[in-house]
Amino acid sequence: MASTKPVSVLEICHVSPSSTSPESSTELSLPLIFSDIFNLKFPPVQGIFFYKLPGLTPTFFNSVILPKVKHSLSLTLSHFRPLAGNLTWPANSIKPVITYNTPDDGIKLTVAESSADFDHLCSEVHDAIESLPYVPNVSISDTIASTLAIQITLFPNKGFCIGHITNHAVLDGLSVSFLMNAWARICKQLVDENMENPSLLPEELTPF
């Protein structure tokens, strides 16, 4: 019996850091430390966040939620600029480095729609393979690897989910949580029209 794919990809785009954060135009690099290099052996880490919004229509998702998600992600990346770069191993370096602050900085954002059972995926125990369509692919080769990729998937009349895949040599679980909290904070501030500068982060969410 033929089965239909539960997920349809609607868009794949490139989200760059907002230019509102002043940075030098010089390409920068961040070397990996010992524990980071150890994590090069491990596969990328995946995670999914589910957001229940009963009655969510594709029109509202595409006109309200998605633009704010993209804008807030761009603003967030301006605080986490190395994550918008790539993991490379230059010939003149003794160990891999994260290169960033280049014109090509940014991450891949996949936008999709699913007809799968939202309640089953977010609230019931199920095989991990059922969740794979809701996390994006990340670009990896022998010479360069992306640090991060994100997918947002609409479940009409149910809600949406945000899946991420991260390079474990660049981000550990605590770092991912830190990033997602900062992104959520900025996205929430975009909704508040009284915020003079929604891109600002409190000290506890500002990376260093």
Side-chain angles (χ1 to χ4, degrees):
M1 179 183 294
S3 60
T4 58
K5 295 180 65 175
V7 174
S8 299
V9 174
L10 306 177
E11 176 189 1
I12 297 178
C13 59
H14 184 83
V15 179
S16 302
S18 169
S19 59
T20 57
S21 178
E23 289 282 344
S24 167
S25 59
T26 305
E27 179 178 314
L28 301 175
S29 63
L30 185 66
L32 299 186
I33 62 175
F34 175 78
S35 59
D36 297 331
I37 295 174
F38 176 78
N39 286 330
L40 280 170
K41 301 176 181 180
F42 293 93
V45 178
Q46 302 168 330
I48 307 175
F49 296 86
F50 288 91
Y51 302 87
K52 287 187 176 182
L53 285 174
L56 176 61
T57 65
T59 299
F60 186 82
F61 175 80
N62 289 308
S63 63
V64 178
I65 293 179
L66 188 56
K68 282 187 171 58
V69 165
K70 290 180 178 179
H71 187 196
S72 59
L73 179 57
S74 176
L75 292 172
T76 304
L77 288 175
S78 70
H79 295 279
F80 296 81
R81 287 186 175 267
L83 300 186
N86 290 288
L87 181 62
T88 63
W89 197 335
N92 60 348
S93 176
I94 61 173
K95 55 186 176 182
V97 299
I98 303 169
T99 58
Y100 65 102
N101 209 41
T102 74
D104 296 326
D105 277 4
I107 67 168
K108 183 179 78 170
L109 173 65
T110 302
V111 182
E113 183 173 326
S114 177
S115 59
D117 187 337
F118 180 84
D119 295 322
H120 167 69
L121 290 170
C122 71
S123 60
E124 298 179 9
V125 177
H126 57 273
D127 292 333
I129 195 171
E130 294 182 59
S131 296
L132 286 180
Y134 308 102
V135 293
N137 295 318
V138 67
S139 176
I140 299 176
S141 72
D142 292 338
T143 57
I144 190 169
S146 299
T147 62
L148 169 70
I150 291 174
Q151 177 175 321
I152 178 169
T153 305
L154 166 68
F155 295 79
N157 301 312
K158 291 291 185 177
F160 65 94
C161 70
I162 294 179
H164 63 79
I165 184 168
T166 60
N167 192 308
H168 200 35
V170 179
L171 284 162
D172 60 11
L174 183 60
S175 301
V176 171
S177 178
F178 190 75
L179 169 68
M180 297 301 291
N181 282 325
W183 183 15
R185 174 68 176 247
I186 289 177
C187 192
K188 185 176 184 296
Q189 290 175 166
L190 284 177
V191 179
D192 186 353
E193 297 180 354
N194 296 322
M195 287 292 299
E196 293 184 3
N197 190 347
S199 66
L200 290 178
L201 286 173
E203 183 179 355
E204 65 269 18
L205 288 178
T206 302
F208 60 89

